[in-house]
Amino acid sequence: MNIKGNLIIISGPSGAGKGTVCKAILDSMTDLHLSISATTRPKRVGERAGADYFFVSKPAFEAMIAGDGLLEWANVYGQYYGTPVEPVVKAVEQGRDVIMEIDVQGALQIRKKFPGCVLIFLAPPSRSTLEQRLRNRATDSDEEIERRLKWAEGEMQKVEFYDYLVLNDEVENAVRKVANIINAERCRPARLDMESLMQQYRNK
């Protein structure tokens, strides 16, 4: 029986906890394929090239744009972010579920190309909580934090275009909800090759 892979996208404001939730999901659901994004922003402390992001120069990123080598891309806070096409398409065609952690702009771009993708919006419980999380990172200036908070207001208004909204008040709760969503999506008949399913049913 042929199974189509799901394309699962988790996005939300910077500081909402997307990376933490995705890591926990991947630790608990080891059959998921992680899509790694490319970016021109500097590497943060503790990040690993090729594991967290592909860190590339702006000329190299622009060459990928020109060559249609990206599934989606966006300019966020003056830096490029994008998803290389080939690894994602290959995994989905093999029937593997792919999880992506990208910004709201990128998620809505992919929805236009792949209407069947699953969009999950991860939201912080409040603006003050989001600000505190950004400050706890100790990686951005006050000016950069204010810019991210302003940007987050616009992103929150895009929730209506998503399939699911998960409030990240406590990481464990958020992870459990995302895992439940993924398992529910795996049960959709649209994911299956129904002709093969019926053939298998008749032959048993």
Side-chain angles (χ1 to χ4, degrees):
M1 180 171 59
N2 295 324
I3 299 177
K4 302 173 185 176
N6 283 318
L7 184 54
I8 302 152
I9 300 172
I10 297 181
S11 54
S14 175
K18 299 184 295 295
T20 301
V21 169
C22 279
K23 184 180 184 305
I25 287 291
L26 288 163
D27 287 343
S28 63
M29 304 178 75
T30 56
D31 54 346
L32 287 174
H33 174 78
L34 174 65
S35 171
I36 300 173
S37 298
T39 183
T40 60
R41 73 157 172 77
K43 184 168 61 173
R44 291 176 182 150
V45 175
E47 289 183 328
R48 297 169 297 158
D52 297 293
Y53 282 97
F54 295 115
F55 296 97
V56 301
S57 66
K58 286 191 176 181
F61 195 102
E62 289 166 353
M64 286 192 285
I65 295 173
D68 290 328
L70 297 170
L71 185 61
E72 56 78 31
W73 66 274
N75 188 321
V76 183
Y77 316 123
Q79 300 290 352
Y80 286 127
Y81 292 80
T83 304
V85 172
E86 187 175 351
V88 174
V89 172
K90 183 178 179 180
V92 170
E93 288 178 347
Q94 292 174 343
R96 302 175 68 188
D97 288 336
V98 178
I99 188 168
M100 302 173 63
E101 175 201 337
I102 59 176
D103 69 286
V104 172
Q105 293 181 60
L108 297 182
Q109 284 183 46
I110 294 177
R111 169 52 62 84
K112 291 179 181 178
K113 297 176 183 177
F114 297 94
C117 67
V118 182
L119 299 187
I120 303 173
F121 193 100
L122 192 67
S126 67
R127 186 185 187 280
S128 60
T129 299
L130 182 62
E131 181 177 358
Q132 188 60 51
R133 289 177 182 175
L134 290 172
R135 294 194 181 282
N136 288 343
R137 283 181 178 177
T139 58
D140 300 311
S141 65
D142 288 345
E143 181 181 355
E144 181 66 17
I145 288 172
E146 285 302 317
R147 181 167 26 169
R148 288 177 184 270
L149 289 170
K150 183 175 291 187
W151 191 282
E153 291 181 12
E155 290 176 319
M156 291 291 291
Q157 294 175 14
K158 300 294 194 302
V159 171
E160 62 181 300
F161 300 110
Y162 280 69
D163 301 303
Y164 301 95
L165 169 64
V166 174
L167 190 68
N168 188 14
D169 49 354
E170 294 184 6
V171 173
E172 289 184 2
N173 290 338
V175 170
R176 185 175 63 253
K177 289 177 183 178
V178 171
N180 288 341
I181 290 168
I182 294 172
N183 285 324
E185 289 293 332
R186 286 175 168 175
C187 296
R188 287 186 182 274
R191 185 176 185 245
L192 305 177
D193 179 340
M194 295 306 296
E195 184 176 346
S196 296
L197 176 64
M198 293 308 297
Q199 185 66 39
Q200 179 175 310
Y201 170 77
R202 295 188 186 104
N203 291 338
K204 284 189 175 180

